[in-house]
Amino acid sequence: MDPDVWNEQVALGYDESSAHMYRPEVLGPTVDFLERRAGQGPALEFAVGTGRVALPLSARGMRVAGIEKSEPMARELARKPGGRDVVVTVGDMTTCRAPGTFSLVYLVYNAITCLLTQDEQVACFRNAARHLEPGGRFVIEVFVPELQRLPPGETARPFHVGEHHVGFDTYDLVNQQVVSHHYTIVDARGGSTFRSPHRYVWPSELDLMAKLAGLDLAERWADWDEAPFIASSRSHVSVWQKPGGRPAER
């Protein structure tokens, strides 16, 4: 994961640029889903960022911790009301250890793809398993690669065209890489650009990573509202469970 992407400038504007992810119809089902999977136990968010999900979970009385590689993002979280209640360990989610064990470890909003190699993604699963109590769950929200939507021979596809923002992805199909390009018009005097690299990953590939980490697939949905995952689904929320402990609950 490239730490320079998530710098001070990006951290300061992150919540505004991701405002649509804070809408109640988006955030509410996310928090509800994760709270149910955590049961009565503590939760750990990998790539906790500025606390979009961790803070409302904490506000419900859950003990929530986080791992975050970007110090500017972690500082933004700490500045928010309740931010000090989420104990953040600064480090790489592939290797960093947070104190204690957890009934839930989770990664949201495509954060697994910020790890740019298969080895790093495998290491992330193994690190999640190390943090989990027996019977604990690892939850990931991530997009399904949209290669079927690419015209033959093309490597770029727009994902948003608006009055003040244009975004498109460029694909490297050989190396399973995608770069998201964002061009935002701030005012009449200029705008800003932001590029973030990702490694796209298939659901079946994630399941194999989970098996290598000793986790079993327990659930897969198309979204946080638990719509069925089907061939045309553009994203998925998947749950893997560590053997032992209490039986699965939903």
Side-chain angles (χ1 to χ4, degrees):
M1 182 165 59
D2 185 354
D4 294 331
V5 171
W6 308 102
N7 55 31
E8 192 78 38
Q9 180 181 358
V10 171
L12 289 172
Y14 182 79
D15 289 349
E16 182 178 357
S17 66
S18 302
H20 63 289
M21 297 299 292
Y22 285 83
R23 294 199 303 260
E25 64 270 25
V26 175
L27 188 54
T30 305
V31 175
D32 291 342
F33 185 103
L34 293 170
E35 183 181 29
R36 291 195 299 270
R37 272 60 182 186
Q40 301 301 311
L44 172 65
E45 181 172 352
F46 283 0
V48 66
T50 62
R52 178 181 68 92
V53 176
L55 287 174
L57 276 176
S58 177
R60 294 188 181 191
M62 288 180 58
R63 182 166 68 85
V64 183
I67 291 176
E68 176 54 54
K69 190 171 184 178
S70 166
E71 292 189 40
M73 297 286 277
R75 286 195 294 269
E76 286 301 303
L77 167 56
R79 292 187 184 109
K80 294 180 177 181
R84 296 292 181 180
D85 296 330
V86 178
V87 178
V88 176
T89 302
V90 175
D92 192 315
M93 61 184 171
T94 63
T95 56
C96 183
R97 288 300 303 270
T101 57
F102 302 85
S103 63
L104 176 71
V105 177
Y106 65 94
L107 266 169
V108 298
Y109 200 15
N110 307 316
I112 186 69
T113 68
C114 293
L115 301 172
L116 301 181
T117 69
Q118 187 181 70
D119 285 346
E120 287 180 314
Q121 292 174 346
V122 169
C124 179
F125 270 81
R126 286 178 168 152
N127 199 30
R130 284 192 289 269
H131 283 91
L132 285 173
E133 302 167 352
R137 299 172 179 86
F138 183 34
V139 178
I140 287 181
E141 173 197 25
V142 65
F143 65 88
V144 176
E146 297 192 308
L147 304 190
Q148 288 181 320
R149 301 175 188 273
L150 279 177
E154 297 294 323
T155 58
R157 182 175 184 275
F159 58 81
H160 182 261
V161 178
E163 184 178 359
H164 299 290
H165 174 267
V166 174
F168 65 92
D169 290 327
T170 54
Y171 288 84
D172 176 350
L173 303 183
V174 174
N175 296 302
Q176 210 162 308
Q177 302 284 318
V178 58
V179 178
S180 294
H181 306 255
H182 299 262
Y183 297 89
T184 303
I185 300 172
V186 176
D187 53 35
R189 293 172 294 178
S192 65
T193 64
F194 175 64
R195 297 177 181 87
S196 59
H198 303 269
R199 180 185 188 268
Y200 62 81
V201 59
W202 302 97
S204 58
E205 188 180 3
L206 292 169
D207 290 342
L208 182 56
M209 293 178 186
K211 284 192 175 295
L212 292 172
L215 305 176
D216 300 317
L217 180 66
E219 305 172 58
R220 174 161 290 136
W221 305 99
D223 55 33
W224 297 108
D225 289 310
E226 301 184 23
F229 179 74
I230 58 176
S232 59
S233 296
R234 301 179 69 176
S235 65
H236 63 99
V237 176
S238 295
V239 183
W240 299 272
Q241 190 161 23
K242 189 170 184 175
R246 66 192 189 285
E249 299 173 359
R250 298 219 316 254

